[in-house]
Amino acid sequence: MPFENSSKTGVKSKRSPRLSSLAEDILPTDDAPFRARLHQLFSQIEKEFEALYLENLSLQEKLDAMGARGGEGAGAERSPGGELLDSDLATGKSLKAKFGAVAGSKVKASHKLRAQTSKIVSSFKAQSVVCSIVRDYCGHKDGVWQVAAKGGQPIIGTASADHTACIWGVDSGRCLLQYQGHGGSVNSLKFHQSRDLVLTGSGDGTAHIWQAAVNWEVPTRKGHSSEEELDEDEEPVEERDRVDVLRTPVCEFSGPGGHTSVIVAADWLPGGDQIITASWDRSAILWDVETKEPLQPLTGHDHELTHACAHQTQRLVVTASRDSTFRLWDFREQIPAVSVFQGHTESVTSTVFTRDDKVVSGSDDRTVKVWELRNMRSALTTIRTDSAVNRLAVSPNGVIAIPHDNRHIRLFDLNGQRVARLPRTSRQGHRRMVSSVCWAPEEPNTSCNLYSCGFDRRVLGWAISLPKESA
């Protein structure tokens, strides 16, 4: 945030108060060819700044390596009295400090210029995306880890650190059902594709499947909507606030052969007869739903797992880890095959499949990468952002919604082109880290098509009107 604010101030002090009118100040609004040419030139400038940034990073790495070698050499030489002769080491450190300061200043300047150029370039793009908050689903007493939407029904589900999971009516904003069967933070929630079942993973080391058949007969006028007001005298308070509570699961996955630590994510495999769970014990487990028994442990990650996701139609699973990698597990053959994807430099926080058989990964290294399933050597697209990335989502038409630690949500297409940034002010948007987003799984029959949740305990329903080329 401080970096963004400084960039905005620098631009505003020298340009028109309205950054978006910069193109109008330079050229008439109807001069499309010149505007397109300017957009192309600014894009080239942005690429040059990117190259400068990478060059400076390479220089810094070389300086670090020189400093390390200098330290080893100085440490090997001693005086007759046993004292280190550290004059060479001191000289090396001073040179490193000088060159490091120069490189650091260049990196900062590059960052600043890239940010300013990005803002200028974005001012030439047609702002045809309309984003607005339609619903606010309030009721959780702690941070919300994940939000999921149910296909074919106007409901969403949320998993919270307050040890509960909730089912909400999309249009009413009302909590229709609360699940209290877990003994720890509920870290993930996924709906069954065709049945009224929900799969949750928890900090208590278990995964539960529970019945999510909601009672639509309860009063539905209570909601947090800017479009409706409720007369306090119309209905008794106990009727308006009554929420169905469920405490008993249909299935519980735990015990011998199960996880020994926190379960951070769980998902259904196609058909719903098997599930996958991911844990801090560095393993994922494939379970049989009918027998509730573990079928196969998936090991190989060097650190705790952070996420797991199953393909919608094929028996493929991706698992992400704090070891900066994610793995693709192929269960289509009798002996599962595994592929390792390396490219991030910090913890991989999220991995999801797209409808055209790509994988999108997000990381604490502030990047989002798009991968081809058949090519694990390098990413097709890399999206660089200014904050760590949490559990992202890809819409059916290929728009990536990226939730950030810095409270922002950004939209990109699969080619890495920025589509929009959702509005966030003191009156709207999230006030703390945005932990998860999800798109409506199909053309919604409600006013919301994107949902977000965060550690401000809020779940927001957004209406996103995308441009035709992204829709």
Side-chain angles (χ1 to χ4, degrees):
M1 288 297 294
F3 173 71
E4 287 194 0
N5 289 337
S6 63
S7 300
K8 288 181 179 178
T9 305
V11 173
K12 287 183 178 180
S13 62
K14 298 179 181 179
R15 302 290 185 189
S16 171
R18 294 188 306 139
L19 182 61
S20 62
S21 67
L22 180 59
E24 299 170 3
D25 295 339
I26 298 174
L27 290 171
T29 56
D30 58 346
D31 206 339
F34 288 98
R35 292 167 65 86
R37 177 59 177 163
L38 279 175
H39 184 281
Q40 180 184 6
L41 292 173
F42 277 120
S43 298
Q44 292 176 359
I45 294 172
E46 193 172 12
K47 290 180 181 178
E48 291 294 327
F49 286 137
E50 181 67 23
L52 177 62
Y53 169 69
L54 295 175
E55 183 181 354
N56 284 329
L57 283 182
S58 176
L59 176 61
Q60 185 65 49
E61 291 175 357
K62 291 179 181 178
L63 288 170
D64 290 341
M66 289 174 60
R69 288 196 298 270
E72 292 172 0
E77 185 178 358
R78 294 178 178 272
S79 67
E83 297 177 354
L84 286 173
L85 297 177
D86 55 359
S87 59
D88 291 341
L89 178 60
T91 303
K93 285 184 176 180
S94 63
L95 287 172
K96 181 183 175 183
K98 290 179 181 179
F99 284 111
V102 173
S105 64
K106 288 184 177 180
V107 170
K108 290 179 181 178
S110 173
H111 272 300
K112 188 172 182 180
L113 288 170
R114 275 202 304 155
Q116 292 179 356
T117 306
S118 297
K119 288 180 172 60
I120 295 171
V121 171
S122 64
S123 69
F124 287 91
K125 297 180 181 179
Q127 299 297 319
S128 55
V129 179
V130 179
C131 312
S132 61
I133 297 175
V134 179
R135 292 286 185 274
D136 192 345
Y137 306 87
C138 295
H140 280 297
K141 297 178 181 179
D142 206 336
V144 184
W145 281 115
Q146 187 163 17
V147 58
K150 171 70 171 174
Q153 292 188 41
I155 57 175
I156 60 171
T158 53
S160 172
D162 65 8
H163 298 193
T164 70
C166 291
I167 304 297
W168 308 80
V170 169
D171 293 322
S172 67
R174 179 184 175 86
C175 180
L176 304 175
L177 177 65
Q178 186 181 69
Y179 180 69
Q180 300 179 358
H182 282 293
S185 168
V186 185
N187 300 323
S188 84
L189 180 147
K190 284 295 182 70
F191 286 100
H192 191 281
Q193 288 183 342
S194 58
R195 300 175 62 189
D196 291 331
L197 296 173
V198 172
L199 171 65
T200 49
S202 171
D204 61 12
T206 69
H208 289 180
I209 293 176
W210 42 278
Q211 192 75 34
V214 297
N215 182 8
W216 294 101
E217 298 300 321
V218 297
T220 57
R221 292 196 62 187
K222 177 176 172 60
H224 302 272
S225 170
S226 59
E227 301 174 358
E228 57 188 5
E229 296 292 335
L230 183 65
D231 187 351
E232 293 292 334
D233 298 326
E234 284 186 6
E235 298 166 348
V237 174
E238 60 271 16
E239 280 296 311
R240 291 202 316 270
D241 294 337
R242 181 165 63 86
V243 176
D244 288 342
V245 175
L246 181 65
R247 295 183 175 89
T248 305
V250 176
C251 300
E252 179 175 329
F253 303 88
S254 60
H259 290 294
T260 58
S261 186
V262 171
I263 293 180
V264 293
D267 200 2
W268 304 89
L269 267 69
D273 57 338
Q274 295 175 353
I275 65 167
I276 190 77
T277 56
S279 170
W280 282 1
D281 62 11
R282 304 185 182 185
S283 73
I285 297 178
L286 183 69
W287 301 80
D288 184 271
V289 171
E290 184 177 355
T291 64
K292 308 172 192 175
E293 295 294 327
L295 296 176
Q296 184 172 359
L298 309 179
T299 59
H301 283 291
D302 294 330
H303 295 290
E304 296 91 339
L305 271 66
T306 57
H307 195 236
C309 179
H311 195 281
Q312 287 188 340
T313 59
Q314 302 182 56
R315 294 177 57 78
L316 300 171
V317 168
V318 283
T319 56
S321 170
R322 291 180 180 171
D323 63 11
S324 77
T325 71
F326 69 93
R327 294 178 175 235
L328 172 68
W329 307 85
D330 188 346
F331 296 104
R332 292 174 295 186
E333 302 294 336
Q334 188 172 2
I335 300 178
V338 58
S339 302
V340 181
F341 289 73
Q342 298 176 326
H344 290 288
T345 58
E346 294 185 36
S347 173
V348 181
T349 56
S350 179
T351 47
V352 297
F353 289 99
T354 68
R355 287 195 172 182
D356 56 351
D357 288 339
K358 294 183 176 64
V359 176
V360 181
S361 61
S363 170
D364 281 341
D365 65 10
R366 304 181 181 185
T367 67
V368 172
K369 294 178 181 287
V370 181
W371 307 77
E372 178 67 48
L373 281 180
R374 293 177 293 274
N375 178 18
M376 63 182 182
R377 294 186 177 181
S378 61
L380 297 175
T381 304
T382 298
I383 301 169
R384 290 179 171 83
T385 67
D386 60 353
S387 181
V389 177
N390 297 311
R391 293 185 178 180
L392 53 79
V394 181
S395 72
N397 44 40
V399 176
I400 310 170
I402 306 174
H404 291 289
D405 275 0
N406 66 0
R407 303 170 290 172
H408 284 290
I409 302 170
R410 290 178 170 85
L411 305 181
F412 285 81
D413 64 21
L414 292 173
N415 295 320
Q417 296 297 315
R418 176 172 162 176
V419 176
R421 182 174 69 180
L422 272 59
R424 199 207 70 79
T425 65
S426 59
R427 294 187 178 183
Q428 62 177 336
H430 288 283
R431 301 183 182 94
R432 295 184 65 184
M433 174 188 80
V434 187
S435 52
S436 170
V437 292
C438 79
W439 291 94
E442 55 195 26
E443 188 66 28
N445 55 3
T446 64
S447 55
C448 303
N449 60 349
L450 178 68
Y451 305 92
S452 63
C453 64
F455 262 66
D456 53 5
R457 309 179 184 181
R458 302 177 71 194
V459 181
L460 301 179
W462 300 81
I464 312 295
S465 175
L466 297 172
K468 292 181 180 180
E469 58 268 19
S470 297

